[in-house]
């Protein structure tokens, strides 16, 4: 429904100037008449008629209150409400059709993977349903909500389109797993920082989406994000890749919520190693595996390696004096024979830390 058309029609019928506007939700609530919960508010010299609430604001049609009689005001309220109901029905129908088409793609993906196929192209009949012939940014969302709670397709799609401020494709893969395909233009919109790389922008996009979903959807969730792809050609392979990134990220980096394949290459290499081989590696490299039970030691080593073995940056990050950090590193060297200030030993310790995280949970 085009609210502009309704605004023009009301102006023509009542001979007054109606305008579309937006006001903060707080201001709308403060203007409520005592004991009433109507769809209009007097704010300043104008009367505002409620259209919809979105992103902390209320969209309204407004007119000078002096030009309407009480009966005309009531008539406008009824007219606007009738248009709102009509729009809701139209939107529900559109979302229902989107969900039906998404379920067809979901079924095809499931069938291919059950047969062990991971590189098939999307059939033309499915690719054409959402015109999946342009580059899209793929994001896989896994909700950590209770099994008793049920996410609704229409609600999530509306929330996502409001967040991205554009149309997206939403495909429910499993009960708590959703695939989002956003336009590639999101990369340009997010890349306003100085020399921000595509990886930085995608990471920022994932972080912002996580923050929004954690507060406005169903609580905590995990997100895997990858480079833009052509869905008609690579959708199936992308699902496999994103699921792998989700598994690796949740296995080796349990405190992280954003998982990106390009940051998980070493984890992918180590993941197939069996329990016995992992334990043997830890014992040979560390000599004292029990050192990793000390939280301070593990945190120090992880931060030092994550910050490219920079003493000054790590000390800053840990809020400790440089000499304190050096003392901890020297102590670790005395107990294991490994000096993480050298590349070779830092790599061995990095691998050991990753393998230990899996070993201690098995």
């Amino acid at each position: 429904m085009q609210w502009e058309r309704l605004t023009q029609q009301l102006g023509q019928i009542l001979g007054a100037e109606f305008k579309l506007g937006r006001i903060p939700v707080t201001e709308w609530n403060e203007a409520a008449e005592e004991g009433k919960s109507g769809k209009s508010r007097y704010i300043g010299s104008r009367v505002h008629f409620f259209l919809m609430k979105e992103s902390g604001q209320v969209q309204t049609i407004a007119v000078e209150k002096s030009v309407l009689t009480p009966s005309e005001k009531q008539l406008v309220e009824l007219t606007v409400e009738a248009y709102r109901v009509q729009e809701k029905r139209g939107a529900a129908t559109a979302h229902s059709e989107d969900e039906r088409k998404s379920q067809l793609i979901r079924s095809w993906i499931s069938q291919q993977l059950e047969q062990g196929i991971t590189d098939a192209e999307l059939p033309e009949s499915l690719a054409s349903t959402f015109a999946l012939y342009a580059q899209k940014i793929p994001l896989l969302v896994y909700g950590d909500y209770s099994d008793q709670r049920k996410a609704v397709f229409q609600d999530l799609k509306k929330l996502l389109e409001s967040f991205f401020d554009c149309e997206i494709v939403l495909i429910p893969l499993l009960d708590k797993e959703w695939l989002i395909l956003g336009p590639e233009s999101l990369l340009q919109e997010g890349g306003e920082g100085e020399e921000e790389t595509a990886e930085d922008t995608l990471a920022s996009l994932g972080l912002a989406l996580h923050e929004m979903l954690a507060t406005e959807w169903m609580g905590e969730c995990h997100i895997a994000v990858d480079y833009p792809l052509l869905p008609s050609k690579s959708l199936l392979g992308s699902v496999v890749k994103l699921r792998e990134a989700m598994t690796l990220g949740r296995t080796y980096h349990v405190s992280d919520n954003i998982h990106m394949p390009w940051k998980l290459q070493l984890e992918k290499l180590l993941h197939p190693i069996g329990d016995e081989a992992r334990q043997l590696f830890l014992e040979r490299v560390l000599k004292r595996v029990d050192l990793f039970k000390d939280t301070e030691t593990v945190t120090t080593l992880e931060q030092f390696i994550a910050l490219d073995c920079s003493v000054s940056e790590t000390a800053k990050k840990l809020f400790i004096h440089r000499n304190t950090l050096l003392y901890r590193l020297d102590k670790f060297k005395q107990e294991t024979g490994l000096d993480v200030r050298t590349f070779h030993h830092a790599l061995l310790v990095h691998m050991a830390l990753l393998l230990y995280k899996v070993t201690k949970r098995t």
Side-chain angles (χ1 to χ4, degrees):
M1 177 60 61
Q2 295 181 348
W3 295 116
E4 292 84 358
R5 187 174 62 183
L6 174 59
T7 304
Q8 292 171 1
Q9 290 174 343
L10 288 171
Q12 291 169 359
I13 294 170
L14 296 172
E17 186 181 15
F18 286 80
K19 291 184 178 181
L20 288 172
R22 289 179 180 273
I23 59 175
V25 171
T26 52
E27 186 177 349
W28 173 266
N29 293 335
E30 289 171 359
E33 296 178 70
E34 188 175 350
K36 296 184 179 181
S37 58
K39 295 297 182 180
S40 65
R41 300 281 192 274
Y42 290 115
I43 301 176
S45 64
R46 305 173 72 82
V47 56
H48 292 257
F49 299 91
F50 179 89
L51 297 181
M52 68 177 70
K53 187 185 294 184
E54 186 178 54
S55 302
Q57 292 188 314
V58 174
Q59 184 173 347
T60 68
I61 291 178
V63 66
E64 290 293 328
K65 59 184 178 183
S66 59
V67 304
L68 295 183
T69 66
S71 297
E72 288 172 337
K73 175 176 173 289
Q74 187 176 13
L75 178 62
V76 173
E77 284 183 348
L78 292 172
T79 302
V80 170
E81 184 62 20
Y83 271 70
R84 288 182 66 251
V85 170
Q86 184 178 343
E87 184 177 75
K88 278 185 178 179
R89 287 173 179 168
T93 301
H95 278 309
S96 296
E97 179 62 14
D98 279 351
E99 186 171 10
R100 184 191 69 80
K101 292 188 291 188
S102 294
Q103 291 289 354
L104 292 176
I105 296 178
R106 167 187 179 170
S107 297
W108 178 81
I109 291 173
S110 178
Q111 290 168 6
Q112 299 304 304
L113 295 181
E114 284 175 3
Q115 297 173 40
I117 301 171
T118 60
D119 58 355
E121 294 185 7
L122 200 60
E124 174 68 22
S125 59
L126 295 179
S128 60
T129 57
F130 290 114
L132 300 176
Y133 305 107
Q135 294 273 17
K136 302 284 187 183
I137 297 174
L139 301 106
L140 187 68
V141 175
Y142 180 82
D144 268 344
Y145 48 83
S146 164
D147 291 335
Q148 279 69 47
R149 302 181 69 183
K150 205 74 174 176
V152 179
F153 177 92
Q154 291 91 337
D155 293 343
L156 180 55
K157 190 168 193 296
K158 183 178 179 182
L159 183 63
L160 290 170
E161 289 184 335
S162 175
F163 171 76
F164 288 116
D165 195 24
C166 63
E167 288 188 9
I168 57 98
V169 176
L170 178 64
I171 302 171
L173 296 177
L174 298 173
D175 286 344
K176 299 182 181 182
E177 186 183 56
W178 306 78
L179 178 65
I180 303 166
L181 299 175
E184 189 180 21
S185 58
L186 292 172
L187 275 179
Q188 282 73 48
E189 293 173 12
E192 297 177 357
E194 294 183 6
E195 298 183 0
E196 188 173 56
T197 65
E199 289 82 1
D200 292 335
T201 304
L202 289 169
S204 298
L205 184 65
L207 286 167
L209 178 61
H210 171 264
E211 183 179 352
M212 185 278 290
L213 291 176
T215 55
E216 298 189 34
W217 188 40
M218 300 184 74
E220 198 52 81
C221 64
H222 286 262
I223 296 173
V225 57
D226 200 9
Y227 298 110
L229 62 96
L230 196 61
S232 60
K233 301 290 184 182
S234 310
L235 185 64
L236 187 62
S238 179
V239 170
V240 173
K241 189 176 181 182
L242 288 169
R243 281 180 169 173
E244 179 184 58
M246 184 79 74
T247 298
L248 293 173
R250 298 188 70 186
T251 300
Y252 293 95
H253 305 282
V254 293
S255 62
D256 293 347
N257 293 94
I258 313 302
H259 313 291
M260 295 157 285
W262 60 86
K263 284 193 170 184
L264 297 164
Q265 298 299 334
L266 184 56
E267 290 83 348
K268 181 178 180 179
L269 184 66
L270 297 176
H271 198 58
I273 298 176
D275 294 345
E276 187 176 339
R278 281 199 301 265
Q279 189 63 42
L280 186 60
F281 177 86
L282 290 171
E283 290 172 356
R284 285 179 175 175
V285 170
L286 290 177
K287 299 181 179 65
R288 286 189 55 194
V289 180
D290 63 296
L291 288 175
F292 278 178
K293 292 181 180 179
D294 180 59
T295 305
E296 183 182 89
T297 299
V298 171
T299 301
T300 300
L301 293 172
E302 285 183 333
Q303 291 297 333
F304 186 68
I305 293 169
L307 294 169
D308 296 326
C309 302
S310 169
V311 173
S312 57
E313 290 299 318
T314 305
K316 242 187 256 183
K317 180 78 171 179
L318 295 175
F319 301 103
I320 59 176
H321 193 276
R322 175 189 177 92
N323 291 344
T324 302
L325 174 61
L326 293 174
Y327 170 77
R328 291 181 186 177
L329 298 181
D330 286 336
K331 183 181 178 185
F332 182 77
K333 179 183 177 182
Q334 291 171 6
E335 294 175 331
T336 64
L338 297 170
D339 185 357
V340 290
R341 284 165 288 193
T342 66
F343 171 78
H344 178 65
H345 285 178
L347 179 59
L348 286 176
V349 172
H350 183 34
M351 293 170 63
L353 282 166
L354 291 173
L355 291 174
Y356 178 74
K357 289 177 182 179
V358 181
T359 303
K360 72 175 182 179
R361 293 198 295 270
T362 57

